[in-house]
Amino acid sequence: MDERESLYFDTISLADSEAAAAAAAHRKSLSQSRNTIYHSAVDLAGDEGRSSSSLRLGSGAAAEHAALAWQPGYRQSTALEHLNGGGDHTDAALAAQILALQNGRGHLPTGIGVSGSGGGGGGGGDDEVSRRLLRNSSNISIKDKKLPITYSQWKSRTYRRFDDGKRSVDFVLAYNGEDQVEEHRRKREIFEANLQREGLQLEHNKVQRVHFIKIHAPAEVLYRYAEILKIKVPLKPIPGQEQVFAESEHQFKSVVSRMCRSLFSSVQLNTALFPEREPRIHLEFSRNYLELYDTEHPNFFDASTRYSIINFILQRQHFVEGEESADNLGIEKLVQDSVYTCSYTLHDKDDRDRLLKEWANITKWKNLQPLDQIKDYFGAKVALYFAWLGFYTQMLIPISLFGVICFLYGFITWSSDPISRDICDDNGTIMCPQCDRSCDYWRLNETCTSSRFNYLIDNNMTVVFALAMAVWAVAYLEFWKRYSAGLVHRWGLTGFTHHVEHPRPQYLAKISRSKRLANRTTTTTMQGNHEAKPKVTLDPDVPFWSIKFLPNFTSYSIMILFICISVIAIAGIIIYRMAQRASHSILGSENSMTFKVMILPMTAGVIDLIVISLLDLVYSNLAVRLTNYEYCRTQTEYDESLTIKNYVFQFVNYYSSLFYIAFLKGKFVGYPAKYNRVLGFRQEECNPGGCLMELCMQLVIIMAGKQVVNAIVEMFIPYLMRTLKELSYRHGWYKSHKDNRLVPYNQFTEDYNLLPAESNSLYVEYLEMVVQFGFITLFSLAFPLAPLLALINNVVEVRLDAIKMLRFLRRPVGMRAHDIGVWHNIMTVVTRIAVASSAMIIAFSSNLIPKIVYAASMGDPELNNYLNFTLAVFNTKDFQVEPLLGGSQYVNETVCRYTEFRNPPWHPQPYKRPMIYWKILTGRLAFIVIYQNIITMLQGILRWAVPDVSGRLLKRIKRENFLLREHIIEYERQQVHIQAGTTTTTPSQLKAEESAGLRQRQRESDDNNTNTSFV
């Protein structure tokens, strides 16, 4: 028996019979034989002045059970069975532990013996304990005091319910029971009184050091606030809706969809655990039409809706009497001031276990997600995130397969590349040193391996893959809007926008502190000739230029400052690379190709990843403070402002080094007689094969490294924090006495040890995926396997996020949403930037345009002399800084080659740009223009061809709205007849007339819409 079972005696009664007392002594013997120490009845009785005596058990069955307790295979029952079941009975001795906790003692004194002789010596003491517990338990019903209750029965009845076993615990407030601050106590009393005044039902639990307040919202409260918040709920079946649903289902379930369902039956959900939901028509709740709603439907007010209503009430209750301003209301302010330690909703054990088994499970990686159940459990906002992540992951499958095909094409045609073949077969080409003094000449064939790898990503399929990637990005976004529209309608959120959201309490508090807006925030109510105190808080219009401009300007100025810091950090890394090339590296010989091609880019990439992560950590915390400084009226506006500031910074932070390699590196180097320098260092040069290889390495390091870091941060750290918190409360590590430990024995004590779920907790998840989307759209041209890496990561990410939310985080408050918010707009902008990025990478970082110009100008379609065409000649006598060759074998070299299009030294204009360079530059610019126009045209056609809402769904919405209007009109007509007392028609006749009228009007509506076409 553990401590959890002893705690339940705080809320139940004990049997007042001799059998119960004997069973109590029997249970105590077993507990002591397992070294489980509790206060004895005699020890408790000693508090009343009675003398202590040892509790003794007689021989017989009790002694035999005590002897069996330590034998192998013996299992002590953890549930107290019924008295008539022949098993363990209600244990009065265990009740002593809870009384000891209430009396302030944390452990039993040792030395309580159990002898094998004697009769029922302990019976009287146990009866006294029973009487004392019953006397102290004034909140226990008479029925419970007469009848014993098993632990299993008590646990199932009160695990997440009130002590009466009927009312559910919808919300929990927790505070430190040892908090002796009078101001805190007074604020709690006022706040809880205001909650009760709103109709919420409260029940206190003060068994342990942490005290809990259980909150239940009755139906009247839910009805009232559902009408205020304009929550849509399902209606009872409407005459004619079956026809609408049947036609739409027939249209949706085409032959192709049925074939796909049978083909992919292994990935379908288990319909026994997650049954398919019947379609329902939803209507904004109004108490005037209460009879129309299906109040018996299990999802009429699902858990997420109840929690959101209670959270809305908690956010808007005052805790100071006489000063009821916007600055002293809301549970967040109380938690911030340590009046309460936390407030949270409860996980549901059955639903949670089912989701953990069938959804938050890595072995279920290929299965579809139970989105309807996720919506009921977490709310629409979280469900939309998982729906989007799952849709994004599925859309990665075709582009990943195409990327693999492009990569395999490079392997298959490896030997046919003329550039890498000429490099590997060349033995006489001497290249110029890559730094001023310390570097030696080197042979071109030393880059044989890197040139072959470079061909894998720079071949004839590069443009095709870039084209497919651009079309895929737009198709993904358009099909997501179409898919999400169906989900939102199914969940009854069609038409919901942030305009129906109420102002944030923090926003009201902020404007109440403003001197300019103080006279606009409240209104004074008049009662007769007497003036009452201002009690009504208003939502005034806040002017932009006079009030909002300065906070916004300051916030975004600091964001730009951090962007500059990020750019400076990247520039520092670039200078580090330049310095490494100009000096002897500790990583190896600076002349070795391993150092030049592999070691230096990899070390720079790792340093870049570390700098990115540190700046990300600092700015993420700062962005929250900056957004709090602004005047964001609703939670949606707050989230969007925070998202924009963070993403713009992350865009620069994560992509700047990749943009440098793609567009700047090796483009403005100069030539050996006149290098362009930065802080005295020569700029970096690309290898003879180009810079795509290094861009590929940098992309893999940052992208894969970021995913690994995020996995550690998201899973290991929450697991570690939860474990430490559980251990600290279980063993009282933070206190010197063991009575300060928190024993988890029901749902709200178990969830207390979990990590809090922040209101913007999804921001980090969205940011991680949208940054990944940027990687694969902006730079996957340099690494066609990037979508495959993203696909593998996302398959695991879906399950890890689910595990984190179910195991490590408290249950978040459900929030309504009709889309993924500003993230869709961000991805749209990234998609448009990706078109220009791909065009510039192909034009300036690949060999496509030079090959085309060379083949057209030189008449060499086989590119046999293309390598020599790309290498310019330099006379070593013209060096600006002479290299220190020492004992080098290349001391007598008079000519070296470098990658550029320049005239040879014997030309009348040595080292100047030849005409072929300008032809190539013109071709590159022309390609950018043509490519962008073609892609933009294809994307525009795709956006036009795929509407945001399918025609079928649009037609269904129109027909449902028609049925809904007619149904309400008919209901109003019936109510008028009933109130007037003029109706003589029976209810069945009224229903038949209503159905006939609806069918007739629906036929007329359908006839009017026969000429309307839908996609």
Side-chain angles (χ1 to χ4, degrees), residues 764-779:
V764 178
E765 313 299 339
Y766 274 116
L767 178 64
E768 178 185 353
M769 292 295 103
V770 174
V771 168
Q772 180 200 90
F773 176 78
F775 280 130
I776 65 175
T777 53
L778 293 170
F779 306 107

Side-chain angles (χ1 to χ4, degrees), residues 234 245 249 253 269 271 273-280 282 297-300 302 351 354-355 370-377 490-491 956:
F245 295 155
E249 289 296 322
K253 293 183 178 179
L269 291 172
T271 55
L273 296 175
F274 303 108
E276 187 175 355
R277 298 285 176 85
E278 295 182 359
R280 306 300 294 264
H282 294 78
H297 193 274
N299 293 319
F300 179 68
D302 55 31
D351 294 340
R354 182 165 60 251
L355 289 173
L371 295 178
D372 291 334
Q373 287 73 20
I374 297 172
K375 183 263 177 184
D376 295 340
Y377 196 86
R490 191 168 78 201
W491 295 339
R956 173 175 170 174

Side-chain angles (χ1 to χ4, degrees), residues 905-917:
W906 54 81
H907 193 274
Q909 294 180 333
Y911 309 125
K912 298 298 182 181
R913 298 289 189 184
M915 182 56 65
I916 194 66
Y917 168 81

Side-chain angles (χ1 to χ4, degrees), residues 333-401:
K333 178 66 174 175
L334 290 173
V335 173
Q336 182 180 350
D337 295 341
S338 300
V339 178
Y340 291 100
T341 57
C342 58
S343 65
Y344 54 95
T345 62
L346 298 183
H347 284 286
D348 184 273
K349 188 176 187 302
D350 295 335
D351 294 340
R352 185 192 200 180
D353 291 344
R354 182 165 60 251
L355 289 173
L356 281 171
K357 181 180 178 181
E358 299 294 330
W359 174 51
N361 190 339
I362 298 295
T363 60
K364 303 289 183 179
W365 61 271
K366 65 177 182 178
N367 289 27
L368 298 177
Q369 300 184 83
L371 295 178
D372 291 334
Q373 287 73 20
I374 297 172
K375 183 263 177 184
D376 295 340
Y377 196 86
F378 290 116
K381 192 171 185 178
V382 175
L384 274 176
Y385 163 73
F386 281 104
W388 168 76
L389 182 55
F391 182 84
Y392 170 48
T393 303
Q394 293 172 3
M395 287 293 292
L396 282 172
I397 295 176
I399 197 64
S400 300
L401 294 176

Side-chain angles (χ1 to χ4, degrees), residues 242-261:
E242 293 82 4
Q243 180 182 357
V244 175
F245 295 155
E247 292 179 359
S248 61
E249 289 296 322
H250 176 72
Q251 290 174 337
F252 282 123
K253 293 183 178 179
S254 60
V255 177
V256 177
S257 64
R258 288 195 296 269
M259 289 178 59
C260 292
R261 179 176 288 271

